[in-house]
């Protein structure tokens, strides 16, 4: 089975805005600085990157804490070097598999830009500031039978940035039990056990796993919770705080412009928002604007008071990319569908704060097929879209492939004959009395429904008789569209590594095509 490519418009949940960014950019051009599909966009973005070398020196010093003397950091230290940035929340056991696909896309883009004369370095932004612990404390894996298994960690921490949440015990024994029987379980377990040690924070464990997993690809890692990083960002945060009311008005206006263009505001912003959180001790709490003052958890702060403690300010989802691209000499940002869509609102903040917006580049996406899945999809003539109606619909589709050809032909011929006869009868009935048209059409639909229902009953009976086919359907759904989610958005990368081994990453990397934004169905 060859590698295939699926347009995002054929995937469930794709927003109209993201679809236009990929396949009809002129419609969305008013909301983005560059068209990622055009090579000259990257040249233009690099040419206008005005990055002070004094900031570069401070940044490189700050990044040594997490990167040491890495070759990638040495390249980023060179005058004129630019960054290709991506990132993800500090999810348990790597978070969704697309975390790895983002990183590899950034690596390949940086490599291609460097080959074309723009020295570029891939940078991974560790989203350790986020405080939605519920979102990152779970990971889905699978076992040797392709059964989905949910693993979780427990913590009493609330309102804390997840990067600093220490976990006393990670579910490594459950991970080991689940991976029993997978051919490369030892490789995946060794990485997980080295990173997720008792007492390690979610941020530190996430970083340790990525650095081991992606070691051959030489990324630079940035943790925005580091005090040295926060000190560099402080001047921009002060400027944004002073203009908070104006920035909120701009974002809300941009939301109206998106709606007028046929899209929707990607992030809802209340009039009293400040676009900031406050790091108050161990908590990250929302700051609200109240005339000239700000409030958080019932306490009031003056703008002057907050400006004096800018290093404790934390940007929200719309302001965060601007802070990122102030900190780094960013030429391109690699993001997923939701990120690129909401950056249509952030773009107005770049303009207001004098930060150059990068090229917003879609990450590569993959559905990986093992040899069994590849054979089954060929046997039952299935494609990725066959899974989007859920497991029951897939079983019915597979069952229809099991029906004798004579029965399938008979149902098709019957449907054609019934439709033709009913169409002729309708003309006569409506000619006699036009008011009967609606009632006749309803009866027509019921007859065809009953015929389809009978065919469905036949399909289910065939499937009941063929238990192997039923098991095949379950296996395929659990691998390809588990719990009605794309594989890359559901499973951690670790079970895929345990199944396919160390050659998986190079295989994925070689199939990243920067000239093709489509989702890749890749037999491995």
């Amino acid at each position: 089975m060859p590698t295939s490519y699926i347009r995002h418009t054929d995937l469930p949940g794709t927003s109209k805005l993201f679809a236009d960014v990929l396949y009809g950019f002129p419609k969305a051009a008013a909301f983005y600085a560059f068209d990622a599909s055009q090579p000259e966009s990257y040249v233009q973005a690099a040419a206008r990157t005005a990055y002070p070398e004094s900031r570069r020196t401070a940044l490189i010093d700050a990044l040594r804490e997490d990167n040491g003397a890495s070759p990638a950091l040495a390249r980023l230290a060179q005058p004129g070097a630019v960054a290709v940035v991506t990132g993800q929340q500090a999810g348990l056991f790597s978070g969704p598999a697309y975390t790895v696909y983002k990183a590899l896309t950034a690596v390949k883009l940086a490599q291609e830009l460097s080959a074309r004369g723009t020295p570029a370095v891939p940078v991974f932004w560790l989203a350790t500031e986020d405080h939605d612990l519920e979102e990152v404390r779970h990971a889905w894996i699978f076992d040797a039978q392709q059964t989905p298994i949910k693993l979780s960690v427990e913590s009493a921490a609330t309102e804390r940035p997840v990067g600093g949440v220490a976990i006393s015990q990670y579910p490594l024994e459950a991970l080991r039990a689940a991976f029993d029987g997978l051919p490369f379980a030892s490789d995946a377990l060794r990485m997980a056990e080295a990173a997720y040690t008792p007492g390690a924070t979610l941020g530190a464990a996430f970083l340790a796993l990525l650095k081991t997993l992606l070691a051959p690809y030489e990324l630079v890692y940035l943790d925005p919770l580091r005090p040295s990083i926060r000190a560099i960002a402080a001047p921009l945060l002060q400027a944004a705080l002073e203009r908070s009311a104006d920035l909120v008005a701009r974002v809300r206006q941009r939301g109206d412009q998106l709606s007028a263009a046929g899209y929707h505001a990607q992030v809802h912003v209340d009039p009293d928002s400040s676009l900031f959180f406050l790091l108050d001790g161990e908590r990250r709490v929302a700051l609200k604007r109240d005339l000239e003052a700000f409030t958080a958890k019932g306490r009031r702060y003056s703008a002057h008071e907050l400006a004096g403690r800018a290093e404790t300010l934390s940007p929200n989802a719309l302001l965060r990319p601007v802070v990122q691209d102030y900190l780094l000499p960013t030429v391109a940002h690699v993001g997923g569908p939701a990120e690129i869509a909401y950056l249509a609102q952030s773009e107005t903040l770049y303009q207001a704060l004098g930060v150059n917006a990068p090229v917003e580049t879609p990450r590569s996406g993959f559905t990986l097929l093992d040899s069994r899945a590849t054979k089954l999809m060929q046997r039952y003539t299935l494609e990725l879209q066959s899974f989007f109606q859920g497991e029951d619909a897939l079983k019915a589709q597979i069952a229809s492939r099991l029906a004798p050809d004579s029965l399938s032909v008979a149902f098709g011929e019957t449907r054609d004959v019934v439709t033709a006869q009913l169409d002729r009868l309708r003309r006569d009935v409506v000619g006699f009395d036009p008011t009967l048209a609606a009632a006749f059409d309803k009866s027509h639909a019921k007859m065809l429904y009953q015929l389809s229902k009978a065919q469905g009953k036949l399909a289910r009976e065939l499937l009941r008789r063929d238990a192997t086919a039923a098991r095949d359907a379950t296996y395929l759904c659990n691998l390809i569209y588990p719990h009605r989610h794309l594989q890359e958005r559901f499973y951690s990368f670790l079970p895929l590594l345990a199944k396919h081994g160390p050659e998986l990453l190079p295989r994925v990397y070689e199939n990243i095509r920067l000239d093709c934004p489509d989702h890749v169905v890749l037999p491995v």
Side-chain angles (χ1 to χ4, degrees):
M1 180 176 178
T3 300
S4 59
Y5 300 87
I6 310 297
R7 286 172 63 94
H8 282 266
T9 48
D10 293 328
L11 299 179
T14 299
S15 70
K16 183 176 185 295
L17 178 56
F18 184 64
D20 283 347
V21 168
L22 297 186
Y23 305 116
F25 187 78
K27 299 175 185 177
F31 307 114
Y32 296 91
F34 298 101
D35 179 356
S37 69
Q38 302 302 313
E40 60 267 23
S41 292
Y42 298 94
V43 176
Q44 294 168 7
R48 76 176 198 176
T49 300
Y51 190 73
E53 289 306 312
S54 59
R55 191 182 305 160
R56 187 188 300 272
T57 299
L59 176 70
I60 299 303
D61 287 342
L63 290 174
R64 286 198 179 95
E65 186 171 359
D66 287 316
N67 296 276
S70 77
L73 189 60
R75 292 198 302 273
L76 187 62
Q78 297 302 309
V82 296
V84 175
V85 187
T86 192
Q88 184 62 26
Q89 292 169 291
L92 177 63
F93 296 143
S94 87
Y98 65 66
T99 300
V100 173
Y101 306 151
K102 278 184 178 181
L104 294 181
T105 305
V107 170
K108 178 156 278 193
L109 178 56
Q111 183 185 61
E112 292 203 6
L113 292 178
S114 297
R116 297 203 296 260
T118 300
V121 178
V123 177
F124 195 100
W125 178 284
L126 303 157
T128 51
E129 285 184 290
D130 291 0
H131 62 271
D132 191 349
L133 179 63
E134 188 61 29
E135 189 171 347
V136 300
R137 72 183 191 90
H138 305 294
W140 282 94
I141 61 170
F142 56 76
D143 61 15
Q145 289 71 48
Q146 200 58 57
T147 304
I149 298 170
K150 184 178 183 180
L151 302 181
S152 305
V153 295
E154 299 299 330
S155 173
T158 58
E159 297 185 320
R160 289 187 60 183
V162 297
V165 174
I167 303 298
S168 60
Q169 195 67 43
Y170 287 98
L172 293 169
E173 285 304 316
L175 187 71
R176 178 177 293 279
F179 284 180
D180 185 38
L182 291 172
F184 298 96
S186 60
D187 294 326
L189 287 167
R190 184 167 54 251
M191 291 184 184
E193 290 169 350
Y196 288 87
T197 56
T201 65
L202 284 167
F206 181 69
L207 171 60
L209 179 62
L210 290 187
K211 288 178 76 172
T212 302
L213 181 63
L214 299 169
Y217 299 96
E218 294 189 349
L219 287 95
V220 170
Y221 297 91
L222 188 155
D223 183 348
L225 281 179
R226 297 293 188 196
S228 54
I229 295 293
R230 306 194 69 77
I232 300 170
L236 180 71
L237 294 172
Q238 288 174 334
L241 184 74
E242 292 169 0
R243 299 189 55 187
S244 175
D246 173 55
L247 297 181
V248 169
R250 284 173 172 265
V251 168
R252 288 171 59 82
Q253 181 183 35
R254 175 56 60 90
D256 293 339
Q257 292 168 347
L258 285 164
S259 297
Y263 306 120
H264 65 274
Q266 304 298 306
V267 179
H268 176 73
V269 178
D270 292 322
D272 64 348
S273 171
S274 70
L275 304 181
F276 284 99
F277 293 85
L278 180 66
L279 296 176
D280 182 16
E282 294 186 338
R283 301 184 307 167
R284 183 176 186 249
V285 295
L287 272 174
K288 299 291 186 181
R289 263 186 321 106
D290 179 12
L291 297 176
E292 296 302 316
F294 297 83
T295 61
K297 291 291 184 181
R299 181 179 172 184
R300 291 176 64 81
Y301 300 87
S302 69
H304 177 74
E305 180 182 3
L306 290 176
R309 51 185 294 187
E311 293 175 26
T312 67
L313 297 175
S314 178
N316 79 341
L318 292 174
L319 184 58
R320 188 207 60 75
V322 188
V323 176
Q324 166 191 287
D325 300 326
Y326 169 85
L327 282 166
L328 291 158
T330 309
V331 67
H333 168 256
V334 173
E339 291 170 297
I340 288 179
Y342 75 61
L343 281 161
Q345 279 177 277
S346 293
E347 194 268 345
T348 189
L349 299 178
Y350 282 91
Q351 295 180 25
L353 292 169
V355 177
N356 290 323
V359 184
E360 294 299 339
T361 306
R363 65 165 174 82
S364 292
F366 291 88
T367 294
L368 307 181
L369 304 181
D370 60 22
S371 59
R372 178 182 175 187
T374 299
K375 292 174 183 176
L376 292 176
M377 290 184 72
Q378 291 175 320
R379 179 187 304 168
Y380 299 123
T381 61
L382 301 173
E383 55 187 1
L384 184 62
Q385 295 91 320
S386 305
F387 295 83
F388 296 158
Q389 299 305 311
E391 186 172 341
D392 288 343
L394 181 70
K395 286 180 177 178
Q397 188 173 348
I398 288 177
S400 69
R401 305 289 197 269
L402 304 175
D405 291 342
S406 59
L407 279 176
S408 299
V409 170
F411 270 105
E413 290 177 346
T414 301
R415 184 176 291 103
D416 292 342
V417 170
V418 169
T419 298
Q421 292 295 330
L422 288 174
D423 285 344
R424 188 173 67 180
L425 181 59
R426 185 187 190 281
R427 289 194 295 271
D428 294 340
V429 169
V430 172
F432 173 73
D433 185 348
T435 65
L436 297 175
F440 187 89
D441 288 343
K442 188 174 182 180
S443 298
H444 183 170
K446 286 182 177 179
M447 293 178 197
L448 291 180
Y449 169 76
Q450 290 299 327
L451 185 62
S452 294
K453 188 176 179 181
Q455 190 172 13
K457 288 181 178 179
L458 172 65
R460 287 191 291 276
E461 175 58 21
L462 287 166
L463 197 62
R464 187 188 66 79
R465 296 183 183 185
D466 194 334
T468 299
R471 288 194 297 270
D472 290 344
T474 298
Y475 181 89
L476 286 169
C477 269
N478 284 345
L479 174 65
I480 295 170
Y481 200 56
H483 291 207
R484 300 179 73 92
H485 292 281
L486 287 176
Q487 178 194 92
E488 64 174 13
R489 299 177 190 171
F490 189 77
Y491 288 127
S492 156
F493 191 76
L494 283 182
L496 297 167
L497 182 67
K499 187 170 200 171
H500 299 291
E503 294 305 311
L504 179 60
L505 277 174
R507 184 92 167 91
V508 169
Y509 184 74
E510 71 184 15
N511 278 277
I512 292 174
R513 288 183 48 188
L514 298 174
D515 61 344
C516 177
D518 296 344
H519 185 84
V520 185
V521 180
L522 179 65
V524 292

